[in-house]
Amino acid sequence: KGNPITYEITDITDMNNYELGNLQKLYKNNFGIDDEVEAAKRVECDILLKHNNAEERTFYFSLILVKIDGVWYAHAISSVLIT
């Protein structure tokens, strides 16, 4: 049942201290989040969606995974329809 979704993670990169500092400022200034950004990863993946009998569609996603107070959150950066 439902529409199958498959994905492939194509790249994972740990963000450095400078980038963590920039994320900390972004979350504080834009979202009012004062908690420390403990870690972050840049993730790229391809997601394949198939809706009923329609054509399959593949999307490229770029995400940042951010760890705050021991919990990981996904922050989408961009997505592009590939096929």
Side-chain angles (χ1 to χ4, degrees), residues 55-69:
E55 285 184 49
E56 293 181 345
R57 297 284 188 208
T58 302
F59 295 85
Y60 161 83
F61 277 87
S62 178
L63 311 167
I64 292 179
L65 301 180
V66 179
K67 187 177 183 182
I68 299 173
D69 283 339

Side-chain angles (χ1 to χ4, degrees), residues 1 5-6 8-9 13 19 21 24 26 31 35 39-40 45 53 62 64-65 67-68 70 76 78 80:
K1 285 195 166 181
I5 298 173
T6 57
E8 177 184 0
I9 295 173
T13 306
E19 293 169 312
Q24 183 75 49
L26 171 80
F31 308 113
D35 298 330
C45 60
N53 293 327
S62 178
I64 292 179
L65 301 180
K67 187 177 183 182
I68 299 173
S78 65
V80 177

